[in-house]
Amino acid sequence: MDKKGFEPKILAFCCNWCAYAGADLAGVSRMQYPPNIRIIRVMCSGRVEPELVVKALSLGTDGVLVLGCHIGDCHYISGNHRTVKRMAILERILGYLGIDPARVKLEWVSAAEGARFAQVVSDFTSKIKELGPIPLQELRP
Amino acid sequence: MSMIDNVQNLAREWLDSKEVDAIFGLKEQDGYIAPYLFTDVGELSCLVISNQYRLCYTCRPAKENILSLMLQTEPNAKIGVVVRGCEERALIELAKRGQVDLKRIKILGVACSKEDAEECRCEKPYPGNLVLGEKVEGVSGDENVNALLSKSLPERRAFWKHEFSKCIKCYGCRNVCPMCICKDCKMEQELYTETGWLPPGIPMFHFIRFYHISDRCIGCGECEKACPVDIPLLTIFKLLQKDVKDLFDYEAGMDVEQEEPLLTTLDETPMREEVMDVGV
Ligand code: SF4
Ligand code: SF4
């Protein structure tokens, strides 16, 4: 696929309490952001096991965002602490396997940060456009 | 006197003085080696140390492994265990997860020889609780690790595609790992591992183990040795051991008091209570 006309598929895991509400706010405030994103709502960013991210990438998702509450604001107090640590390990493993770790990103978006949500999605989408389609298919024998 | 004589003598002393009720180690009989519980001093002449068979093997499955079965059937017994560096680290990590009770174990730690260390590419070929033998330096640096790091991302993908394509999904790497203790394994769940296909998902199948064992791998290398198609699994585990040290200042198998980093908050408060209730 040529990179120019490339429209990436991007998955965003949004936590129920902050990021999803942030996305909602961006929506009702009619903020513009790229339509490449598909949102999956989870109760907490700590629910996002790295296997889910790898599964999404294996199925042809070009990039995965994990969005949660800012540290200290987690509805479950320390759920997002897990996410930070897991994502760090996930990124390293992806790198060793030859997958650009920039294809996954953890960001904090509060329920009041609709504009920030739109910004994060726009930035990430342009980054993934730059990287091109996920080369994981070539890992399929 | 050779190393093994020293081990046998000390084991005899511990048994005679009733310091321990039994010694758990490897027994050689008719040229075969297997784990054995020595209760009779007369048999100690068959006690051996071998890098071909590790007590690590006997650490799983959870609660059904030889060591914990023995501790369950003999609730008051204290058991001496002959361990090498990797085996001691395995015991420490298992104790953290409630799999063995270190209070009922007396560790007879033995050092490995230079040759053994090289064969295993071991970075720390001696236990913290060294009772017998001389420490030798572990190997530093690893050819496979350096080779992987010198590759570009596309080269790494090609490399792993070649390697993982060989996988016959025998689960040997998982079965032999002293740290793979879960009863329900994600590597068997339909969500992550389609049945009826070989090779299993690349990189999904292997990623599960890389991630799950990342902060607890003790670097014994058993997975790589067990793999019938020689996939260099240890390469990634070695890198992850270093990452976990850099990121969280944590080394698996060193300190039984130190909580594993993926189960603590950012200020290192344990989240243990939540996990200990689930199915272990
Ligand atoms: S080296 Fe392999 S078998 Fe040994 S602890 Fe690490 S993952 Fe498990
Ligand atoms: S031991 Fe080797 S062939 Fe068997 S499942 Fe593990 S990686 Fe695949």
Side-chain angles (χ1 to χ4, degrees), chain A residues 34-96:
Chain A
N36 303 65
I37 177 177
R38 281 80 165 154
I39 293 181
I40 292 182
R41 178 167 59 157
V42 287
M43 289 312 282
C44 176
S45 61
R47 165 66 183 91
V48 184
E49 52 201 54
E51 293 90 330
L52 288 175
V53 176
V54 174
K55 168 120 184 169
L57 296 174
S58 308
L59 290 175
T61 310
D62 301 295
V64 179
L65 274 173
V66 179
L67 306 178
C69 311
H70 290 267
I71 292 292
D73 295 345
C74 176
H75 188 78
Y76 306 100
I77 301 167
S78 59
N80 53 2
H81 290 220
R82 288 188 175 200
T83 325
V84 187
K85 293 183 165 188
R86 290 167 166 192
M87 293 296 283
I89 299 274
L90 167 67
E91 285 174 16
R92 306 281 172 125
I93 303 178
L94 289 180
Y96 300 143

Side-chain angles (χ1 to χ4, degrees), chain B residues 173 176-180 209 213 216-224 234 237:
Chain B
C173 49
V176 84
C177 176
M179 288 302 122
C180 276
R209 239 174 64 75
I213 307 300
R216 53 172 100 163
C217 176
I218 45 125
C220 63
E222 286 300 316
C223 48
E224 190 171 306
L234 190 57
F237 283 114

Side-chain angles (χ1 to χ4, degrees), chain B residues 166-174 187 200 205-206 223 226-231 233:
Chain B
K166 301 186 292 188
C167 178
I168 56 166
K169 205 184 177 188
C170 66
Y171 289 99
C173 49
R174 178 201 67 178
M187 291 166 90
F205 184 75
H206 298 90
C223 48
C227 181
V229 293
D230 296 329
I231 300 176
L233 301 162

Side-chain angles (χ1 to χ4, degrees), chain A residues 47-56 58 71 76-101 103 108 134-141, chain B residues 148-149 152-154 156-158 160-161 164-165 186 189-192 199 202-204 207-208 210-212 214-215 236 239-240 243-244 246-248 260-268 271 274-275:
Chain A
R47 165 66 183 91
V48 184
E49 52 201 54
E51 293 90 330
L52 288 175
V53 176
V54 174
K55 168 120 184 169
S58 308
I71 292 292
Y76 306 100
I77 301 167
S78 59
N80 53 2
H81 290 220
R82 288 188 175 200
T83 325
V84 187
K85 293 183 165 188
R86 290 167 166 192
M87 293 296 283
I89 299 274
L90 167 67
E91 285 174 16
R92 306 281 172 125
I93 303 178
L94 289 180
Y96 300 143
L97 294 173
I99 302 158
D100 197 326
R103 289 187 183 272
W108 309 133
I134 181 101
L136 259 187
Q137 311 304 329
E138 67 184 54
L139 277 185
R140 294 239 168 100
Chain B
L148 182 70
L149 290 181
S152 68
L153 290 179
R156 291 180 193 182
R157 286 198 299 274
W160 289 115
K161 180 182 176 182
F164 291 152
S165 301
K186 276 191 184 159
Q189 285 176 5
E190 192 71 21
L191 173 63
Y192 295 121
I202 299 173
M204 190 71 241
F207 173 83
I208 296 173
F210 290 145
Y211 169 62
H212 284 196
S214 59
D215 67 340
I236 290 194
L239 283 160
L240 286 172
D243 287 340
V244 167
D246 293 348
L247 288 165
F248 311 122
E260 56 175 323
L262 291 180
L263 291 182
T264 57
T265 63
L266 287 171
D267 57 15
E268 280 164 34
M271 304 188 216
E274 310 161 38
V275 275

Side-chain angles (χ1 to χ4, degrees), chain B residues 102-278:
Chain B
L102 284 185
K103 284 200 265 331
R104 298 183 47 207
I105 290 178
K106 189 168 159 78
I107 288 182
L108 201 167
V110 296
C112 291
S113 67
K114 188 94 197 143
E115 296 74 49
D116 282 342
E118 268 156 30
E119 197 189 316
C120 297
R121 286 151 53 212
C122 180
E123 286 166 29
K124 196 169 173 285
Y126 46 86
N129 204 329
L130 183 63
V131 180
L132 286 174
E134 291 279 323
K135 266 187 207 179
V136 295
E137 277 303 305
V139 297
S140 59
D142 189 271
E143 267 174 46
N144 290 357
V145 166
N146 297 340
L148 182 70
L149 290 181
S150 67
K151 287 181 165 64
S152 68
L153 290 179
E155 284 167 350
R156 291 180 193 182
R157 286 198 299 274
F159 174 74
W160 289 115
K161 180 182 176 182
H162 170 75
E163 292 296 338
F164 291 152
S165 301
K166 301 186 292 188
C167 178
I168 56 166
K169 205 184 177 188
C170 66
Y171 289 99
C173 49
R174 178 201 67 178
N175 293 353
V176 84
C177 176
M179 288 302 122
C180 276
I181 54 172
C182 307
K183 277 200 169 152
D184 289 322
C185 178
K186 276 191 184 159
M187 291 166 90
E188 290 178 36
Q189 285 176 5
E190 192 71 21
L191 173 63
Y192 295 121
T193 313
E194 250 179 297
T195 50
W197 289 100
L198 276 183
I202 299 173
M204 190 71 241
F205 184 75
H206 298 90
F207 173 83
I208 296 173
R209 239 174 64 75
F210 290 145
Y211 169 62
H212 284 196
I213 307 300
S214 59
D215 67 340
R216 53 172 100 163
C217 176
I218 45 125
C220 63
E222 286 300 316
C223 48
E224 190 171 306
K225 284 187 198 162
C227 181
V229 293
D230 296 329
I231 300 176
L233 301 162
L234 190 57
T235 312
I236 290 194
F237 283 114
K238 278 194 180 240
L239 283 160
L240 286 172
Q241 274 186 307
K242 195 177 161 297
D243 287 340
V244 167
K245 181 145 203 276
D246 293 348
L247 288 165
F248 311 122
D249 195 20
Y250 178 86
E251 272 180 277
M254 295 299 156
D255 178 2
V256 73
E257 300 299 328
Q258 202 186 1
E259 292 283 339
E260 56 175 323
L262 291 180
L263 291 182
T264 57
T265 63
L266 287 171
D267 57 15
E268 280 164 34
T269 312
M271 304 188 216
R272 182 178 276 264
E273 300 72 32
E274 310 161 38
V275 275
M276 291 312 273
D277 293 337
V278 279

